[in-house]
Amino acid sequence: MPSSIAEVFSDHEEPASGEIDMLFESEQWWRDHYHEIESKGYELRLRYHPDWQPSWKKSGKDLFLMEHATLLPSAMDATRQQDGKHVMLKKVPIGEGQQELKIARLVSSPGLSREPHNHCVPLLETLELPNVPDQKLMVMPYLRPFNKPRFQTFGEFVAFFTQICNGIRFMHEQNIAHRDCTATNIMFDPSSMYPEGFHPTRINRSRDFKRRAKGYTRTQRPTRYYLIDFGLSRQYSSRDVLDEPLRGGDKSAPE
């Protein structure tokens, strides 16, 4: 999840019309399926409503200071209507994404979800949209990058490192190899440290974008860390199986 406008625009994606006040191509899918997602009990931000209009055009304010101007190109945050819970929706293609969905369901099954060393991001549910036969939506808790804010004490880092090592060991006990355990795929549950939430694409701002997000330290309110993104993960029949190596999110040499 990007934490600044610079990160959001780092992929150099252009708005569909070439104008900054229009949706990016990666956002249009969410706009086109806004009401279908809403019918499943989840509400996207106002920016993705089919009738959305840029508010800065009327107000005359700097568009980068307006909540509607920020965006999240990949996946999408949403609000669960029944309780207001902030969640993340992720598109999973039928076919190539089924391995990810299978592993997510396994580690979130009743038997394994209660394991104290299970640090795999929970799968809350899977959505099937009526007019989208080629993919499903995974619903997961909305998390925050593991190092934002920075660690302030050795104890905070030791707690983080211990949890992630336990999480990887748990996966290996299920004969699952994550295969892409990079910094971008490690996050934490912000509910204790940020009880009032924060904005999905400018995480230093409050959820309504009107002020700085109020947070606590890890020492004040300990948190739980999670491994996410099982797109490259595999479950094997035993721990003796050999598999071809691959390059995940971290392309640097081991040395």
Side-chain angles (χ1 to χ4, degrees), residues 71-133:
L71 51 97
L72 191 63
S74 62
M76 187 57 61
D77 65 289
T79 299
R80 190 164 63 185
Q81 295 173 338
Q82 70 180 35
D83 57 5
K85 182 180 177 65
H86 202 190
V87 300
M88 176 64 76
L89 307 179
K90 181 179 181 181
K91 293 188 287 185
V92 182
I94 297 297
E96 63 183 82
Q98 292 309 294
Q99 182 69 21
E100 176 177 10
L101 187 55
K102 174 186 175 183
I103 290 176
R105 284 172 170 165
L106 173 63
V107 296
S108 295
S109 61
L112 295 182
S113 63
R114 292 190 291 268
E115 290 289 333
H117 291 165
N118 182 353
H119 288 270
C120 299
V121 60
L123 176 65
L124 303 179
E125 69 171 310
T126 304
L127 304 181
E128 296 186 23
L129 304 183
N131 297 317
V132 187

Side-chain angles (χ1 to χ4, degrees), residues 29-58:
W29 187 93
W30 300 99
R31 175 204 61 195
D32 295 342
H33 298 285
Y34 181 95
H35 290 302
E36 293 174 83
I37 294 173
E38 185 179 41
S39 70
K40 296 293 183 178
Y42 295 90
E43 183 176 356
L44 301 179
R45 275 179 285 139
L46 182 60
R47 177 180 175 88
Y48 303 105
H49 192 284
D51 298 328
W52 172 77
Q53 293 294 326
S55 59
W56 57 85
K57 280 192 169 184
K58 295 181 180 179

Side-chain angles (χ1 to χ4, degrees), residues 206-222:
S206 61
R207 194 167 175 186
D208 61 9
F209 210 73
K210 294 181 179 180
R211 59 188 182 281
R212 288 190 61 84
K214 180 181 179 180
Y216 298 85
T217 68
R218 296 171 175 83
T219 301
Q220 292 173 316
R221 297 193 175 185

